[in-house]
Amino acid sequence: MKTIEKINLGQNGPLVSKLGLGCMRMSSIWGGPTPDETESIATIHEALDNGINFLNTGDFYGAGHNEMLIGRAIKHRRDEAFISVKFGAIFHNGHWLGMDLRPLSIKNFINYSLTRLGIETIDLYQPSRMDGSVPVEDIIGTVADLIKEGKVRHLGVSEITPDQLRQAHAVHPVTALEIGYSLADRQIEHDLLPTAKELGIGVIAFANTAEGLLSGDMKAPLPENSYQSHFPRFQGDNLVKNLEKVEVLKQLAQQKGVTPTQLAIAWVNAQGQHIMPLVSMSRRSRLPENIEAMHLTFTPQELNTLNTTFAPGAIVGGTYLQR
């Protein structure tokens, strides 16, 4: 496989791989079966072997299962891995109940995460989203205290508004912003991305295929038990119209001899050196194609075709993310 380049995460930030490994799919989140743990650990090892050192998790992924899995995978390779942990989301029996961002709770969460991961310091620690129940200054101030204690190295944020990002950065320098970003979800280009760039904050872009919309495999209508069917963009005529746009992506992929998913990742990668595509994987077989996607390039005409077809707001039904 080809090598993965390294970038600084944010202005003068830590050196990480340009491609991030999302570990969420290695655990049961919505009550489904747990993926093969042996294969998941082997996927992490092979990612590390190929220079992908950014491992992304959440303390609520599989009720702590994900952190314990990563802990086993990096037990003898801690120095090779950069661990990013989200906190604050509360689940019960596979159902999301809300957020808990109280300072006392954060101080509790961090110690459980460190124990499950089997490490002394988390490289990037971030609230999974802001819900308005606790002032931004209190949340960020608590993480800043954890940095002083040596339990956290860098502050991250996720699912945040431009104003909240400025507030957070004023309390303590923010290293990275984790946010959904793809050809189908470009709303953040108007204000959030420019704000992050202005402040020198790196961007970790997840959901590069917009929950499968850009994979080229989706067909209308979706099965009734599909979790995507809860979101307007995947319903009825909205999905039919959106899949018509995906046909353009599929045609371009065919011309280039790659998959639509690879093109979707490559487009995110092409948006700047400060942007990291974060791709969820739980099988080693996915690594070669995703690494190859990081080496794809576009002609000006190809980029124009994609940017015109998937202009901000072109996908009907809004974003599937709750911002």
Side-chain angles (χ1 to χ4, degrees):
M1 283 186 276
K2 295 181 178 179
T3 57
I4 291 292
E5 69 171 312
K6 294 289 194 294
I7 60 169
N8 288 107
L9 190 60
Q11 195 171 37
N12 303 317
L15 201 63
V16 296
S17 50
K18 185 69 160 70
L19 175 65
L21 173 61
C23 298
M24 182 180 73
R25 298 187 191 280
M26 298 178 183
S27 299
S28 171
I29 301 298
W30 311 112
T34 299
D36 186 307
E37 292 188 359
T38 300
E39 179 62 23
S40 294
I41 290 174
T43 301
I44 293 174
H45 287 167
E46 192 157 321
L48 293 174
D49 290 342
N50 284 277
I52 301 173
N53 71 336
F54 189 95
L55 307 181
N56 183 269
T57 185
D59 63 8
F60 48 93
Y61 289 176
H65 170 271
N66 208 248
E67 289 180 318
M68 291 189 289
L69 180 79
I70 292 172
R72 294 200 298 274
I74 66 167
K75 188 171 183 179
H76 302 293
R77 306 183 67 168
R78 174 64 183 102
D79 293 342
E80 298 176 58
F82 185 95
I83 308 298
S84 170
V85 177
K86 292 185 291 296
F87 66 85
I90 305 299
F91 283 79
H92 180 65
N93 294 336
H95 298 285
W96 185 74
L97 300 183
M99 301 292 297
D100 186 352
L101 298 172
R102 295 171 297 174
L104 282 179
S105 298
I106 296 172
K107 291 176 180 178
N108 183 49
F109 295 153
I110 184 76
N111 291 299
Y112 279 91
S113 287
L114 290 170
T115 298
R116 288 189 290 253
L117 288 162
I119 59 180
E120 295 181 354
T121 308
I122 290 172
D123 297 303
L124 185 70
Y125 200 52
Q126 54 190 328
S128 55
R129 75 174 46 161
M130 301 292 183
D131 69 345
S133 63
V134 179
V136 171
E137 291 82 1
D138 291 352
I139 300 166
I140 301 304
T142 303
V143 178
D145 289 342
L146 296 176
I147 291 173
K148 291 176 184 175
E149 291 179 32
K151 293 184 176 181
V152 175
R153 289 197 175 93
H154 304 280
L155 166 68
V157 293
S158 179
E159 297 296 300
I160 197 170
T161 68
D163 287 343
Q164 289 171 335
L165 185 58
R166 291 187 185 278
Q167 284 179 275
H169 196 66
V171 175
H172 188 278
V174 176
T175 295
L177 160 69
E178 183 177 327
I179 196 78
Y181 186 42
S182 71
L183 274 166
D185 281 290
R186 300 180 61 181
Q187 294 89 333
I188 62 172
E189 291 178 350
H190 175 66
D191 48 14
L192 188 55
L193 283 187
T195 301
K197 191 168 186 178
E198 173 197 333
L199 299 175
I201 297 170
V203 176
I204 302 161
F206 67 86
N208 301 163
T209 67
E211 291 301 300
L213 178 64
L214 304 177
S215 68
D217 298 326
M218 189 172 283
K219 292 180 175 59
L222 295 181
E224 289 185 7
N225 62 350
S226 169
Y227 75 92
Q228 294 107 319
S229 62
H230 296 292
F231 303 101
R233 67 163 46 176
F234 296 108
Q235 297 171 358
D237 288 342
N238 285 353
L239 180 58
V240 172
K241 291 176 182 177
N242 291 335
L243 289 178
E244 289 174 359
K245 297 180 177 66
V246 175
E247 285 299 315
V248 175
L249 184 70
K250 291 170 67 174
Q251 291 169 11
L252 180 57
Q254 186 175 31
Q255 292 169 11
K256 294 176 78 70
V258 298
T259 68
T261 292
Q262 285 178 305
L263 277 197
I265 294 170
W267 180 87
V268 174
N269 184 45
Q271 300 314 299
Q273 280 297 99
H274 63 300
I275 296 178
M276 170 203 295
L278 178 66
V279 181
S280 291
M281 292 174 265
S282 61
R283 301 187 307 276
R284 284 169 288 179
S285 60
R286 293 283 316 284
L287 279 165
E289 63 182 274
N290 291 332
I291 290 175
E292 183 65 34
M294 298 295 289
H295 295 272
L296 296 178
T297 58
F298 298 96
T299 66
Q301 183 178 3
E302 289 170 341
L303 274 178
N304 182 63
T305 296
L306 290 176
N307 288 330
T308 300
T309 303
F310 295 94
I315 295 298
V316 294
T319 174
Y320 71 92
L321 293 170
Q322 299 174 3
R323 297 201 185 103

